[in-house]
Amino acid sequence: MRSIEKKYDVVIVGGGPGGLAAAKGAREAGATSVLVLERDDRLGGILPQCVHDGFGLVHYKEALTGPEYARRARKEAEQAGAELKTGAMVTGLTKERVVTAVTREGLLNCRAGAVVLATGCRERTRGAIAIPGTRPAGVYTAGAAQNLLNTKNLMVGRRVVILGSGDIGLIMARRLTLEGATVLCVAEARPVPGGLERNVSQCLYDFGIPLYLSTTVTQIFGPKRVEGVALCRVDAQGQPRPETARRVDCDTLLLSVGLIPENEVGSKAGMAVDPATNGAVTDGFLQTNLPGVFACGNSRKVMDLADFVTRQGYAAGGNAARFVLGLPLEKMPPEQANAMAKGLPKPGIITCIRCPKGCRVMLGADGKTEGNACPKGEEYALQEAKAPKRVLTTTLKNAAGKLVPVKTSAGVPKETLLRCMDVVRGLPPIPEGLHCGKVAVSDPFGLGVDLVVTGDQ
């Protein structure tokens, strides 16, 4: 394999929202040469497979789908002057800040003035939670199932049980239902759901999907393909109560049981990681124990929103440039938490989703609202109480057979979602070359709402 030697001011490992923001931050702080190395064939990390909306409320002040957010982040890094390389698998990092990556052109050795690790996180698997039973086909992590469905148009199953009520699991419950699967239930070992109230409401309640709290999967049945699982109540200490076990027949089990920071590259170079979380340990400037090596986003600590990852990535990139230039480092931005409510929706309270404040609005019998900090909350609560609408997000094939993410140009009545998806499945391929924001299909549902492309082809 051909060996290529290069030198950069800043090398960034990972091309997700954190890495792309770090590239922009480094360039704007004065770094002359900035390289982003991404192992996938596309930039944006997990965002391109997240065709649902709700991203960007904090950073871009509007609701975006994952592909739309990724596109903006990529364009900002490009416009800042960073070099973005996909298909580049980083295999090594030294304390002297030499980054080694396997690329299409050969083995790339980059001598960097500073390095930013924006490597993100990975999902916990069945092995991490030790569910006993056979090892049949049909057990997926929620993110893997999301990738197969939203980027490859492959259904993972037809009768599905989901273990874990984090946002990815809740969103996949809705996505699979819209695509024609039956989601039998979501089981959560804790006494409260882990995801946002809005997702419990719009992903489960909208479709009548049961949520079983203080419940876990204790066994998987099936010699070749999943045939069922055992659901079991857990006690206050989280231990299964065998006498409550019952079998649920299904062909698929999705696991949404947590995320782990991915830090193999840094660890091999001697970077300190938190033994409890596997997150990179940094100081108040996002610098690790290795001088000139910085870490940000989910590689440090799993974060609620891509918006927060972006903010931290920008700061890490800026400090990487300052390190190279011999300038004082700047304090990292304060750690942020999602203001939107988590847990079970409360009767009589509507959580507004129009902005990151997530106001919990109470609607009185007289039609007046309380609890909203701005008119958006009142408008949303009144609509939700009288005629709730939802933005439908899905995918369509183009004439070349490529899957293209789309969304409705406005909300459609909640009760029409499944009917709209029946229409979507009967649509012919859309033209090639439609860019993000262009109309893919004009008013396919007869509701005055178009399907709009949300990702570049």
Side-chain angles (χ1 to χ4, degrees):
M1 179 179 287
R2 186 165 71 102
S3 182
I4 306 165
E5 307 291 326
K6 289 195 174 184
K7 186 176 181 180
Y8 290 88
D9 283 350
V10 178
V11 172
I12 298 161
V13 182
L20 293 171
K24 179 183 178 183
R27 284 287 294 157
E28 292 185 352
T32 302
S33 54
V34 176
L35 173 68
V36 175
L37 296 170
E38 168 56 48
R39 65 187 176 190
D40 206 344
D41 290 330
R42 64 189 178 194
L43 295 160
I46 197 175
L47 289 173
Q49 74 183 49
C50 299
V51 301
H52 57 280
D53 72 345
F55 299 92
L57 286 170
V58 175
H59 188 63
Y60 292 113
K61 310 303 181 188
E62 62 178 298
L64 302 172
T65 64
E68 289 173 315
Y69 193 108
R71 181 176 183 271
R72 289 200 188 183
R74 186 190 74 239
K75 283 188 172 295
E76 289 175 355
E78 288 173 342
Q79 290 167 357
E83 180 182 342
L84 310 178
K85 181 176 283 295
T86 58
M89 180 69 181
V90 173
T91 57
L93 168 67
T94 70
K95 293 179 181 178
E96 294 74 30
R97 300 184 295 280
V98 175
V99 180
T100 301
V102 179
T103 73
R104 298 180 182 90
E105 295 79 25
L107 191 65
L108 176 62
N109 293 300
C110 297
R111 186 167 295 279
V115 174
V116 178
L117 298 176
T119 47
C121 56
R122 62 176 181 269
E123 294 180 281
R124 292 184 187 275
T125 63
R126 176 185 176 181
I129 57 175
I131 302 174
T134 53
R135 299 183 63 82
V139 181
Y140 299 87
T141 61
Q146 184 183 61
N147 182 53
L148 289 170
L149 180 54
N150 291 344
T151 70
K152 298 177 176 60
N153 205 36
L154 296 173
M155 283 287 283
V156 295
R158 290 292 171 182
R159 291 177 57 81
V160 183
V161 169
I162 299 177
L163 176 61
S165 63
D167 289 314
I168 299 176
L170 298 176
I171 286 163
M172 281 309 295
R174 174 179 61 190
R175 186 77 180 97
L176 286 165
T177 300
L178 289 172
E179 288 294 342
T182 299
V183 178
L184 299 165
C185 66
V186 173
E188 170 57 59
R190 293 171 295 180
V192 293
L196 297 177
E197 275 187 16
R198 65 170 286 183
N199 286 334
V200 175
S201 177
Q202 296 190 5
C203 299
L204 301 187
Y205 291 4
D206 278 4
F207 302 100
I209 299 171
L211 171 62
Y212 300 135
L213 299 174
S214 299
T215 302
T216 191
V217 172
T218 56
Q219 193 166 3
I220 300 171
F221 304 107
K224 294 183 179 180
R225 173 84 195 192
V226 172
E227 296 175 0
V229 299
L231 291 184
C232 191
R233 298 278 294 172
V234 300
D235 60 23
Q237 287 72 46
Q239 296 303 308
R241 295 165 50 197
E243 72 277 9
T244 66
R246 63 186 179 92
R247 175 170 170 148
V248 176
D249 291 332
C250 60
D251 62 19
T252 305
L253 174 65
L254 292 195
L255 302 177
S256 180
V257 291
L259 302 167
I260 305 170
E262 193 163 342
N263 280 309
E264 282 69 21
V265 169
S267 296
K268 289 178 181 178
M271 181 186 74
V273 298
D274 185 326
T277 66
N278 203 51
V281 176
T282 66
D283 60 17
F285 305 100
L286 295 169
Q287 187 170 205
T288 70
N289 61 305
L290 304 177
V293 177
F294 299 79
C296 63
N298 290 337
S299 63
R300 282 186 68 248
K301 176 183 177 182
V302 175
M303 308 184 87
D304 283 336
L305 299 178
D307 306 62
F308 300 161
V309 172
T310 293
R311 186 182 185 195
Q312 199 172 96
Y314 184 85
N319 274 345
R322 293 181 194 100
F323 179 90
V324 173
L325 296 170
L327 299 174
L329 304 184
E330 294 184 1
K331 278 283 188 182
M332 64 179 282
E335 299 274 9
Q336 289 179 276
N338 192 353
M340 288 191 172
K342 289 190 174 184
L344 287 172
K346 306 296 188 297
I349 298 177
I350 298 170
T351 303
C352 178
I353 64 172
R354 296 280 173 83
C355 79
K357 292 180 180 178
C359 293
R360 306 182 79 183
V361 186
M362 291 163 283
L363 188 62
D366 57 359
K368 294 183 178 179
T369 60
E370 295 180 11
N372 51 297
C374 73
K376 290 181 180 180
E378 180 177 15
E379 178 188 353
Y380 180 78
L382 290 171
Q383 178 184 290
E384 192 68 9
K386 296 177 182 178
K389 292 186 176 182
R390 304 285 184 258
V391 172
L392 177 63
T393 59
T394 184
T395 57
L396 291 172
K397 282 187 176 180
N398 67 14
K402 183 179 178 180
L403 214 56
V404 180
V406 295
K407 69 177 181 182
T408 52
S409 56
V412 300
K414 181 178 75 172
E415 66 274 10
T416 69
L417 283 170
L418 293 176
R419 188 163 72 249
C420 288
M421 281 301 297
D422 286 339
V423 173
V424 167
R425 281 188 280 274
L427 292 173
I430 63 174
E432 292 182 69
L434 292 177
H435 295 295
C436 183
K438 296 296 184 181
V439 173
V441 186
S442 179
D443 194 17
F445 315 120
L447 298 170
V449 174
D450 301 327
L451 282 173
V452 178
V453 174
T454 61
D456 288 337
Q457 299 185 51

